[in-house]
Amino acid sequence: MAGTTTRNRQFGLTLLALYAFLILLPVIMAALQGREPRPWRNDLASGLAMAGFAMLLAEFLLSGRSRWLSRRIGMDVIMRFHQFMGHVLLAFLLLHPFLYNLPMNVQPYGELDGATWLSLPMAPGITGLLAWVGLGVLVFFAVARDSLPFRYETWRFWHGFGALLIALLGLHHTLEVGRYSQQDWLGGFWIIAVALAVLALAHVHLFTPLRERRRPFRVAGVERVADRTWSLVMEPDRDGGHDGRPLPYEAGQFAWLKMGGPLFRITEHPFSISSSPDQWPRVEFTIKEAGDFTGGLDRIPSGTRAYLDGPYGSFLLDESERPLVMIAGGVGMAPIMSLLRQLRAQGSKRRILLLQANRHAGQILYREELAAMARELEHLTVHYMLGEPPEGWDGLTGVPRTEVLATLIPEAARGESLCYVCGPPAMIHAVESSLVRELGVPAAQVISERFQYSFGARSGSAGRALLAFSVTTAVIVAGVFLFAFR
Ligand SMILES: Cc1cc2nc3c(=O)[nH]c(=O)nc-3n(C[C@H](O)[C@H](O)[C@H](O)COP(=O)(O)OP(=O)(O)OC[C@H]3O[C@@H](n4cnc5c(N)ncnc54)[C@H](O)[C@@H]3O)c2cc1C
């Protein structure tokens, strides 16, 4: 895995370079037009707008759900990059009109002739203004999403539809009044880029559902496995037309689940698959109650039609014999259970240490199955940890922190062990930090799965790398604008 992780890092860096090239491409194309330089503020305003608009269109590709990409760099990394670049492009595009008009070049109100808006012809002036305001609203609603009184699905619909509208308004504005975009090549670039953005949206909401329709699933059973936690088992719906071809997932991956109702509706939820591929045709999810969908699982009748979009994710086992450390918090046990079931199916001889942490005993997952597994896999050791232990509890207590991890993972094993971490964002962050900073486990050997994509969810080394990349890109882009046009 370390080799794989290094390869994935190189792949990630190549992608970042490609991304930077793509968002700079319109600026470079504009610079190559060799037009008369204008006051630097005007060219900076054009450059910011072009790079910002290119970033906006790239956002559609980033959220366009590529299984291939998510397997290599992880969906959480992609989505956090999407969110971070949303902030960067907002800054670029919000600055754009100010650089032209304020505080210089403002035309006195009385001199406008009625056919203009912000000193621009009326129609592109209005489309530009609508796109500009719309973008601010879109990003505000994305950042404040969890504190607003909307259902996640309502937000998601308006986020996609709103972004599309902004892209189309922005395209009109750019083609009509963009100084450099009047030229055929750059105009053509924008039309192709918007078409690709529309295709990425159609990929998620149209082409993928059409593909899923050929492989329907049905609910085989719902069973309570711990406090407020359910096992939801699916099987291919042969009567509904499923051809029986296995879902091509690897242990540790996840799928978007769409339950009942019309195929094209927007309601779907990502869940890690907790069964292992060898258990096909059984596909199991382990789900904790969190809101309206997950809170109603017990009311889902067997036989209910379901669709799975997947597999996605990079929480994967390698093929080496290196020792494994698995740390699960609560329902973070789901993808780890899939890895363990896979290792059991392989009769693995690897040294495996599992730490399952919960608040109270009623939340412990798969205790009996883990005990049976520990008898089959001679090198598997299972530890349970409770934050609020009952009287007489003989397991670990507290939360997974440096001291306990230091006792469980011998110093000699730290350099070679691969550590899989899944649980609440705060736990993942604390464990990653303990492993890497305090215990000296190489960062490339810590593999985490996050159930939350919000940028606020602490992001560890991948997050820091993204932050560094984004700031560097912003500085390079600003530098190109300021100097390429001089
Ligand atoms: C990669 C991944 C794997 C996951 N695996 C598991 C798992 O194995 N077991 C488990 O219990 N939970 C898992 N989750 C979390 C699970 O998706 C949410 O708890 C669930 O969607 C909540 O839906 P709800 O309608 O009950 O709650 P809501 O009240 O609708 O949502 C609660 C929160 O869940 C998140 N959420 C809701 N819908 C979506 C969506 N379509 N896409 C992304 N986030 C969403 C949002 O942050 C939202 O604020 C996973 C999440 C991700 C991203």
Side-chain angles (χ1 to χ4, degrees):
M1 173 69 77
T4 313
T5 314
T6 310
R7 274 203 303 281
N8 286 353
R9 286 203 161 185
Q10 283 163 356
F11 177 75
L13 286 175
T14 312
L15 279 184
L16 287 183
L18 183 67
Y19 178 89
F21 173 72
L22 283 178
I23 57 169
L24 282 177
L25 188 58
V27 185
I28 295 167
M29 287 168 84
L32 290 178
Q33 288 177 18
R35 301 183 63 163
E36 276 294 297
R38 294 176 298 173
W40 70 267
R41 283 176 63 125
N42 287 3
D43 272 336
L44 179 57
S46 293
L48 285 175
M50 285 185 281
F53 192 37
M55 285 181 204
L56 174 73
L57 300 176
E59 292 288 85
F60 287 84
L61 303 183
L62 288 171
S63 54
R65 275 198 210 165
S66 160
R67 283 199 240 162
W68 180 79
L69 206 56
S70 93
R71 192 186 177 287
R72 280 158 186 84
I73 51 177
M75 193 61 113
D76 55 339
V77 173
I78 299 173
M79 292 316 286
R80 273 177 292 136
F81 186 62
H82 166 86
Q83 290 162 3
F84 191 83
M85 293 321 285
H87 291 73
V88 177
L89 75 91
L90 178 71
F92 279 27
L93 292 175
L94 287 189
L95 269 177
H96 164 68
F98 287 109
L99 284 167
Y100 279 125
N101 287 315
L102 293 174
M104 306 180 312
N105 299 343
V106 180
Q107 288 199 18
Y109 181 72
E111 288 180 20
L112 296 178
D113 61 6
T116 60
W117 180 265
L118 293 175
S119 316
L120 293 170
M122 194 59 142
I126 289 178
T127 51
L129 181 78
L130 287 177
W132 190 78
V133 172
L135 186 66
V137 173
L138 189 85
V139 176
F140 169 77
F141 276 90
V143 172
R145 188 192 74 208
D146 284 337
S147 345
L148 296 171
F150 305 120
R151 291 184 63 220
Y152 183 86
E153 292 75 21
T154 313
W155 168 81
R156 193 169 157 229
F157 172 79
W158 285 108
H159 189 69
F161 183 69
L164 179 64
L165 216 59
I166 290 165
L168 294 175
L169 291 166
L171 179 67
H172 178 264
H173 177 81
T174 306
L175 294 182
E176 290 294 314
V177 290
R179 181 184 197 233
Y180 299 95
S181 302
Q182 310 289 317
Q183 196 245 19
D184 285 353
W185 280 100
L186 193 48
F189 171 88
W190 290 125
I191 292 170
I192 292 171
V194 170
L196 286 176
V198 174
L199 274 180
L201 210 58
H203 169 68
V204 177
H205 298 293
L206 190 63
F207 306 143
T208 301
L210 284 173
R211 195 185 61 216
E212 287 167 24
R213 193 170 58 170
R214 287 187 275 131
R215 303 231 164 78
F217 283 77
R218 57 189 288 280
V219 173
V222 182
E223 189 194 336
R224 186 179 177 282
V225 282
D227 188 24
R228 297 179 54 225
T229 309
W230 302 84
S231 151
L232 173 68
V233 177
M234 302 280 172
E235 58 187 24
D237 185 353
R238 296 276 193 163
D239 299 337
H242 196 294
D243 57 11
R245 274 228 311 255
L247 186 72
Y249 74 101
E250 288 178 56
Q253 290 196 293
F254 72 92
W256 260 275
L257 169 65
K258 206 178 273 182
M259 188 73 84
L263 178 61
F264 289 99
R265 73 177 185 177
I266 201 117
T267 312
E268 55 180 346
H269 298 268
F271 294 110
S272 294
I273 304 171
S274 53
S275 50
S276 58
D278 69 288
Q279 293 179 295
W280 178 262
R282 174 189 166 92
V283 178
E284 182 184 350
F285 297 94
T286 307
I287 300 178
K288 172 136 194 221
E289 295 173 16
D292 45 4
F293 172 69
T294 49
L297 286 175
D298 54 331
R299 295 191 293 277
I300 296 177
S302 288
T304 303
R305 170 69 60 86
Y307 298 96
L308 295 180
D309 173 21
Y312 294 93
S314 58
F315 197 69
L316 305 170
L317 282 174
D318 69 330
E319 276 158 23
S320 75
E321 285 306 311
R322 302 171 73 154
L324 302 168
V325 173
M326 300 183 176
I327 303 167
V331 76
M333 192 60 206
I336 287 184
M337 202 60 201
S338 175
L339 300 180
L340 286 167
R341 284 168 168 163
Q342 176 74 8
L343 289 160
R344 179 186 54 194
Q346 293 168 345
S348 175
K349 300 270 181 290
R350 295 170 82 158
R351 262 187 296 135
I352 312 166
L353 173 102
L354 168 68
L355 170 62
Q356 188 187 151
N358 287 290
R359 199 158 47 80
H360 62 81
Q363 294 170 324
I364 295 177
L365 279 162
Y366 299 111
R367 201 169 189 169
E368 282 168 23
E369 187 176 340
L370 288 170
M373 232 181 229
R375 288 192 292 275
E376 274 178 62
L377 296 173
E378 54 183 308
H379 299 300
L380 169 66
T381 323
V382 182
H383 294 276
Y384 296 99
M385 173 180 254
L386 293 180
E388 295 167 13
E391 219 163 290
W393 170 252
D394 60 356
L396 300 164
T397 55
V399 286
R401 290 289 181 268
T402 310
E403 306 73 49
V404 73
L405 296 176
T407 341
L408 293 178
I409 315 169
E411 208 165 339
R414 291 177 201 161
E416 52 167 355
S417 298
L418 298 174
C419 305
Y420 291 80
V421 189
C422 186
M427 185 212 97
I428 296 185
H429 178 70
V431 168
E432 281 180 339
S433 158
S434 294
L435 289 172
V436 177
R437 290 204 200 143
E438 313 281 336
L439 303 181
V441 176
Q445 287 170 215
V446 181
I447 302 127
S448 310
E449 179 68 291
R450 290 180 166 76
F451 286 177
Q452 261 188 358
Y453 290 148
S454 55
F455 194 70
R458 299 270 185 78
S459 45
S461 58
R464 282 195 298 280
L466 286 181
L467 188 70
F469 166 77
S470 311
V471 173
T472 314
T473 308
V475 170
I476 293 174
V477 169
V480 171
F481 302 156
L482 282 173
F483 297 108
F485 290 107
R486 296 301 88 221

